[in-house]
């Protein structure tokens, strides 16, 4: 069964999120990595931006999504999970955080075209969205082997450990997500990925990563120290 080397929540696994056994391809930076920003217009030029809005985990539950434990909130979303997809997030800091997690995880070849295609085409915007879709299709076809079209590639082995805000307003948001997965010799490897969001058509949309790969928005990181830790649901093994 495929194992995940590192993720963002969109794991830096061969340019995808949760993928087969590959490792982080970005050299380890200092504890505060400089992450490439997306080529879309900077979303944080909003005078209402708050540097670190409070997020409450009260009322959130954690459920398994094909090997990845994801948070759910009756108040902040997702309100719809039909067809293994996720949409309907509140226009709140918690809603933006939940959207970042759910959309980034699903915009990945691991779950097959029935999941990643509608996720990317409907929930990811910006000039690099089409490149992300093309790269994800290419990665899926490369890894699919003898599996039938649309088949998922298997479960993932990724843990979401924490996050740190870069800024939030009711219209735009930016945050860094830390995820961990097994690398060579069962060593744990971690990635921090910057995710930018924009409120559009009554829901949060992610801005596509630079060049259409999550690796363009990510770096390896030695630990989740200095980040807001997810509660037990997100840090389970």
């Amino acid at each position: 069964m495929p194992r995940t080397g590192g993720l963002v929540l969109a794991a830096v696994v061969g340019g995808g999120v949760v993928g087969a056994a590959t490792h982080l391809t970005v050299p380890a930076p200092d504890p505060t990595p400089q992450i490439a920003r997306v080529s879309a217009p900077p979303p944080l030029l909003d005078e209402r931006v708050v540097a670190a809005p409070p997020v409450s985990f009260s009322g959130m539950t954690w459920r398994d999504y094909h090997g990845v434990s994801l948070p759910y909130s009756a108040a902040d979303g997702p309100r719809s999970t039909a067809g293994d997809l996720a949409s309907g997030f509140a226009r709140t800091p918690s809603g933006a955080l939940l959207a970042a997690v759910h959309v980034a995880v699903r915009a990945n070849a691991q779950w097959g075209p029935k999941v990643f295609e509608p996720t990317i085409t409907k929930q990811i915007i910006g000039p690099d969205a089409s490149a992300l879709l093309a790269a994800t299709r290419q990665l899926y076809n490369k890894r699919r082997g003898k599996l039938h079209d649309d088949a998922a590639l298997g479960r993932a082995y990724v843990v979401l450990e924490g996050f740190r805000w870069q800024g939030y307003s009711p219209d735009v948001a930016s945050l860094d997500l830390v995820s961990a997965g097994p690398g060579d010799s069962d060593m744990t490897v971690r990635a921090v990925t910057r995710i930018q969001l924009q409120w559009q058509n009554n829901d949060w949309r992610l801005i596509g990563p630079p060049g259409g790969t999550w690796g363009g928005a990510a770096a390896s990181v030695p630990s989740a120290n200095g980040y807001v830790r997810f509660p037990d649901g997100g840090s389970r093994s």
Side-chain angles (χ1 to χ4, degrees), residues 46-146:
D46 187 321
E47 61 185 14
R48 297 168 297 164
V49 166
V50 176
V55 170
S56 173
F57 295 109
S58 176
M60 283 192 191
T61 58
W62 294 79
R63 305 175 201 163
D64 178 78
Y65 183 81
H66 308 295
V68 187
S69 188
L70 298 180
Y72 295 77
S73 166
D76 295 296
R79 297 189 181 95
S80 173
T81 54
D84 237 8
L85 307 175
S87 62
F89 298 93
R91 199 173 189 177
T92 62
S94 294
L97 173 62
L98 290 167
V101 171
H102 281 271
V103 176
V105 164
R106 287 170 169 82
N108 167 55
Q110 190 73 11
W111 324 123
K114 288 183 178 179
V115 173
F116 73 72
E117 289 201 353
T119 296
I120 295 173
T121 57
K122 296 178 181 179
Q123 295 178 280
I124 295 187
I125 61 175
D128 294 297
S130 59
L132 176 63
L133 180 58
T136 307
R137 283 172 174 162
Q138 183 179 31
L139 182 63
Y140 175 76
N141 289 329
K142 179 180 178 181
R143 292 181 175 169
R144 181 167 63 88
K146 296 182 179 179

Side-chain angles (χ1 to χ4, degrees), residues 3-7 157-159 179-183 186-191:
R3 293 159 66 93
T4 303
L7 144 111
Y157 297 85
V158 173
V159 175
S179 56
D186 290 327
M187 293 183 62
T188 298
V189 292
R190 289 177 175 82

Side-chain angles (χ1 to χ4, degrees), residues 118-204:
T119 296
I120 295 173
T121 57
K122 296 178 181 179
Q123 295 178 280
I124 295 187
I125 61 175
D128 294 297
S130 59
L132 176 63
L133 180 58
T136 307
R137 283 172 174 162
Q138 183 179 31
L139 182 63
Y140 175 76
N141 289 329
K142 179 180 178 181
R143 292 181 175 169
R144 181 167 63 88
K146 296 182 179 179
L147 294 173
H148 65 78
D149 257 349
D150 292 338
L153 302 181
R155 290 176 66 80
Y157 297 85
V158 173
V159 175
L160 308 179
E161 292 191 329
F163 70 97
R164 181 162 59 205
W165 287 106
Q166 295 300 313
Y168 170 85
S169 84
D171 292 326
V172 294
S174 179
L175 55 94
D176 292 341
L177 288 164
V178 178
S179 56
D184 281 343
S185 303
D186 290 327
M187 293 183 62
T188 298
V189 292
R190 289 177 175 82
V192 56
T193 303
R194 181 152 299 169
I195 298 187
Q196 297 185 328
L197 306 98
Q198 182 173 326
W199 183 261
Q200 186 180 97
N201 297 328
N202 296 313
D203 208 350
W204 288 107

